[in-house]
Amino acid sequence: MGILGSFSKRAIVDASTDNNNRIGADRMPGSVNWLARMLVRIVTIILPVLLMILIGWLYGRRARPDMSATNRINMDICVPMLVFSALAARDFDLAANWKLIPAAIGIVVLSGLLAWPVSRLAGISPRTLLPPTMFNNCGNMGLPLALLAFGREGFNASVMLFVVSNLLHFTLGAFVFCRQTRFTGLLKNPIVIATAAGLLFGIFDLHLPEPLMIGIKMMGDVTIPLMLFALGVRMVDARLSGWRIGLLGAVLCPLTGLLAAAVLVPLLQLDPAMRAQVYLFGSLPPAVLNFLMAEHYRQEPDRMAAIVLIGNLASIVFVPFGLWLALA
């Protein structure tokens, strides 16, 4: 059984099921017992994620490994396998989760619109501040958190948010960084190809033979721990020299995400399970990919590194709040 499968056995029950099972005064919001249970639940979800990041950071400080080849393999092979296995899974209902698509688009776009006047008032280039505000760490951190919080079924649904966010990152995000960006190579992107194949299988209820799906799923199961380990290694080289803009970006990303989620949840009339997914998604810190793209486009990579580093450190505050909103 893969890593995700073993995680899901230990995962906390789905938020909507938990809501239906709350009986008695000691489970009502505001009671000491309910708050204690919520705190324990949030710590249980976050601790494994932070542990894997810490292991990567400690190893990175000691060995200084070159993760470029490993990250390339992860992005070109393991992540596409993860995306396909989630979207083509027998237990994933594409029709039931379609509202997560406009929810993800809405959070990305609304976050950018909210951040734009802030960048103008602060005298910071929108090309520097908008991408880390709009595109969060829904891969490295969001997927394992969703798995631990909502189980395998909820994890498969969260892959929809991850896929939409990444497609927007490679298109709209690249355009924000550089208006001369060309998208001709997007159709060759392994994640895009895996997304199209997974959606095709999901829409037409197609299924690969079980041995093939098991092999694909096992390759996809490598993704999450490797992502978290690589995130820890990456943090070794990040610097706090631009701590002021880093702090602004660290607060702006989850704050605008949660505000956008608060608008979209009633607007899209999301059920409790999707509501939980959207609030967790909105609370996530800036994506590490923003730093890589800032380096590629030469758009103040030092400032972007500070935003990503401080933002992921600040997730210790904002992610528990997002989980509290998701699970309450």
Side-chain angles (χ1 to χ4, degrees):
M1 180 175 289
I3 294 172
L4 297 185
S6 61
F7 271 178
S8 62
K9 282 190 172 181
R10 297 191 300 271
I12 312 299
V13 293
D14 185 87
S16 59
T17 304
D18 181 68
N19 287 338
N20 292 334
N21 290 336
R22 288 179 190 158
I23 53 175
D26 63 338
R27 295 193 176 195
M28 293 299 293
S31 72
V32 175
N33 288 337
W34 185 88
L35 291 174
R37 285 192 185 90
M38 183 65 70
L39 179 61
V40 170
R41 185 172 179 182
I42 291 171
V43 170
T44 302
I45 292 168
I46 292 178
L47 193 58
V49 174
L50 296 179
L51 178 62
M52 282 184 270
I53 295 173
L54 177 62
I55 291 171
W57 182 78
L58 291 173
Y59 184 78
R61 282 178 58 89
R62 177 176 176 272
R64 295 284 175 171
D66 182 0
M67 297 292 292
S68 57
T70 304
N71 290 335
R72 181 68 179 270
I73 292 171
N74 201 20
M75 291 300 292
D76 287 351
I77 298 176
C78 299
V79 174
M81 296 290 186
L82 173 72
V83 170
F84 176 80
S85 63
L87 296 180
R90 294 178 185 273
D91 59 349
F92 178 66
D93 188 347
L94 181 62
N97 291 282
W98 73 268
K99 287 184 179 181
L100 291 177
I101 297 176
I105 295 172
I107 288 177
V108 169
V109 173
L110 284 175
S111 295
L113 292 175
L114 291 170
W116 187 82
V118 176
S119 71
R120 291 299 187 189
L121 290 172
I124 302 169
S125 171
R127 293 173 59 196
T128 299
L129 191 60
L130 263 61
T133 303
M134 298 167 67
F135 303 105
N136 61 33
N137 210 347
C138 55
N140 301 61
M141 190 172 291
L143 290 179
L145 285 171
L147 178 66
L148 291 168
F150 311 125
R152 182 74 202 197
E153 183 178 352
F155 167 80
N156 289 345
S158 73
V159 170
M160 287 292 296
L161 297 169
F162 167 74
V163 165
V164 172
S165 179
N166 270 265
L167 291 176
L168 289 174
H169 208 160
F170 291 130
T171 51
L172 178 60
F175 181 76
V176 172
F177 274 111
C178 179
R179 294 188 179 182
Q180 285 74 43
T181 298
R182 296 181 179 180
F183 305 113
T184 53
L186 193 63
L187 295 178
K188 299 179 182 179
N189 186 295
I191 298 177
V192 175
I193 295 172
T195 300
L199 290 174
L200 184 67
F201 272 67
I203 292 171
F204 293 100
D205 197 26
L206 303 174
H207 302 287
L208 288 176
E210 191 65 21
L212 291 181
M213 279 300 293
I214 290 174
I216 292 172
K217 181 178 175 299
M218 289 178 69
M219 286 295 297
D221 285 352
V222 176
T223 301
I224 288 178
L226 192 56
M227 275 184 168
L228 294 172
F229 181 85
L231 176 59
V233 173
R234 169 63 66 179
M235 284 187 168
V236 172
D237 295 323
R239 296 291 179 264
L240 294 175
S241 55
W243 66 269
R244 289 183 178 86
I245 187 175
L247 187 60
L248 176 61
V251 173
L252 201 60
C253 179
L255 186 61
T256 57
L258 288 170
L259 286 173
V263 171
L264 292 166
V265 164
L267 185 65
L268 295 174
Q269 298 181 342
L270 301 180
D271 63 36
M274 285 189 283
R275 178 183 71 92
Q277 295 276 1
V278 168
Y279 273 119
L280 176 59
F281 180 78
S283 70
L284 295 170
V288 181
L289 183 59
N290 289 304
F291 172 67
L292 301 179
M293 294 182 74
E295 281 188 326
H296 177 75
Y297 291 107
R298 299 180 182 179
Q299 179 59 40
E300 300 185 294
D302 292 339
R303 283 185 148 192
M304 189 67 74
I307 293 174
V308 171
L309 173 60
I310 297 176
N312 279 270
L313 292 175
S315 66
I316 298 173
V317 175
F318 287 101
V319 168
F321 182 65
L323 282 170
W324 180 78
L325 291 174
L327 303 174

